[in-house]
Amino acid sequence: MINTPGYHNLSMSEYLADPCPQPSLSTGVVYDLLQRSPLHAHSGHPRLGGNLGEPTARGDLGSAIHSLVLGGHDVVYAPPEFADWRKKLAQEFRDEAREMKQIPLLDSQRRGVAVAVESAKLRLASFGDGIAEQSMLWQTEGSWCRGRADWLTADGRYDIDIKTCDNADPTDWLRTTVQRGGLDIQAGLRSLGHKALGCERKMLWLLVEIEAPYACSIIGLAPSMISLAERKCIHAAQVWSQCLKSEIWPGYSGQIFWADVQSYAESDFAQRTGVAP
């Protein structure tokens, strides 16, 4: 356990196991708490429910690009005769690699991964020197929190997170991933963390496409979005602290939820049918 708030050089497994003095908040835990319930946050926490989900081929691809951009060497490629992961021998190779904390990829992915990694490295280099994969531990509203920064620039200005995606168009990604997927929570939580540790950094996402031409883009959030995201995380920290003390983890409300007409539904119906609202 680590009792001292600060930036720490931890392995990924140490970070994921949660080294804080008490079960801490991460981006995923805050998202589950706010979007679903404290019960779901408890279920997905490594030191409480422990239901972390199974690795996927899509996740392995993203992890591989992420690792290689930051200097990791834990990626292994399957023999060329494995066209996919359907056959037993291929699955055994994949599962053994995961057990050894390696990231398994198909040989057919080798060239694309190399192009994507080089593209991302060029974008990252434009920010100058920095330090990779630093774990952040701090307290907010009585709750321990943690985050893991992919790249902290040496000038103290930016916290850059690498994300792989199908479409790195900023407008599309903001609409589908940040607003609907809750990644504003990640930026808000990390903003609170940097402030608590005495260094206000702006968080950026370096988006890397996983299909040709493997283009990249860089996205940040306006101050208004960061402010709202910070308030969400502060609320989550308050609820988390109360749940830890009481050991009560409520699920969904028992009240009936009555769905009402959304603002767009009437106009959409009218446009499609010609029937006036």
Side-chain angles (χ1 to χ4, degrees):
M1 294 296 167
I2 298 176
N3 296 309
T4 307
Y7 299 93
H8 300 274
N9 188 22
L10 304 176
S11 68
M12 179 60 81
S13 60
E14 290 172 329
Y15 170 77
L16 292 176
D18 188 3
C20 294
Q22 66 181 33
S24 66
L25 288 170
S26 63
T27 298
V29 175
V30 173
Y31 179 82
D32 285 343
L33 191 152
L34 294 176
Q35 299 297 115
R36 304 188 76 179
S37 74
L39 180 62
H40 292 83
H42 178 282
S43 176
H45 197 284
R47 286 168 55 184
L48 297 173
N51 299 315
L52 305 180
E54 296 296 326
T56 64
R58 173 64 178 80
D60 286 337
L61 178 58
S63 296
I65 293 174
H66 176 279
S67 177
L68 293 171
V69 170
L70 299 175
H73 302 285
D74 50 358
V75 178
V76 291
Y77 289 94
E81 58 266 28
F82 296 154
D84 50 45
W85 300 116
R86 296 178 185 176
K87 295 184 178 180
K88 183 178 179 181
L89 288 178
Q91 293 173 2
E92 289 177 350
F93 174 91
R94 179 197 62 194
D95 296 343
E96 288 176 5
R98 288 173 176 169
E99 288 179 4
M100 297 177 65
K101 308 301 182 184
Q102 296 176 321
I103 305 171
L105 294 181
L106 297 169
D107 188 69
S108 59
Q109 296 174 300
R110 187 189 299 267
R111 180 183 175 278
V113 166
V115 176
V117 167
E118 184 61 27
S119 178
K121 282 184 175 180
L122 288 173
R123 285 296 185 101
L124 198 60
S126 67
F127 290 91
D129 295 335
I131 184 168
E133 297 185 317
Q134 291 295 290
S135 296
M136 305 162 51
L137 310 178
W138 74 95
Q139 287 182 284
T140 293
E141 298 294 321
S143 294
W144 279 89
C145 305
R146 60 191 163 98
R148 188 170 175 87
D150 289 346
W151 188 257
L152 297 178
T153 59
D155 60 13
R157 296 179 62 190
Y158 299 112
D159 172 346
I160 303 175
D161 195 69
I162 299 170
K163 293 290 186 189
T164 53
C165 58
D166 297 321
N167 184 356
D169 173 69
T171 301
D172 180 82
W173 200 76
L174 281 170
R175 181 178 64 253
T176 60
T177 305
V178 174
Q179 296 175 2
R180 295 181 185 174
L183 275 187
D184 59 327
I185 291 171
Q186 182 186 41
L189 191 63
R190 291 261 270 277
S191 178
L192 290 175
H194 288 304
K195 289 178 180 178
L197 299 177
C199 182
E200 294 193 28
R201 293 175 181 264
K202 294 180 180 179
M203 185 174 177
L204 302 175
W205 289 286
L206 170 55
L207 306 185
V208 187
E209 291 181 344
I210 58 172
E211 297 179 352
Y214 308 101
C216 296
S217 65
I218 299 171
I219 294 177
L221 299 185
S224 58
M225 287 194 70
I226 291 293
S227 176
L228 175 58
E230 287 181 349
R231 298 201 304 275
K232 291 180 181 180
C233 293
I234 289 172
H235 171 73
Q238 293 169 342
V239 174
W240 185 254
S241 179
Q242 293 169 3
C243 290
L244 284 174
K245 290 176 182 177
S246 67
E247 297 187 355
I248 298 174
W249 303 88
Y252 297 126
S253 168
Q255 297 179 342
I256 299 173
F257 178 84
W258 298 102
D260 199 357
V261 175
Q262 300 296 309
S263 59
Y264 65 86
E266 285 281 9
S267 60
D268 180 70
F269 177 64
Q271 290 175 356
R272 292 174 182 275
T273 65
V275 177

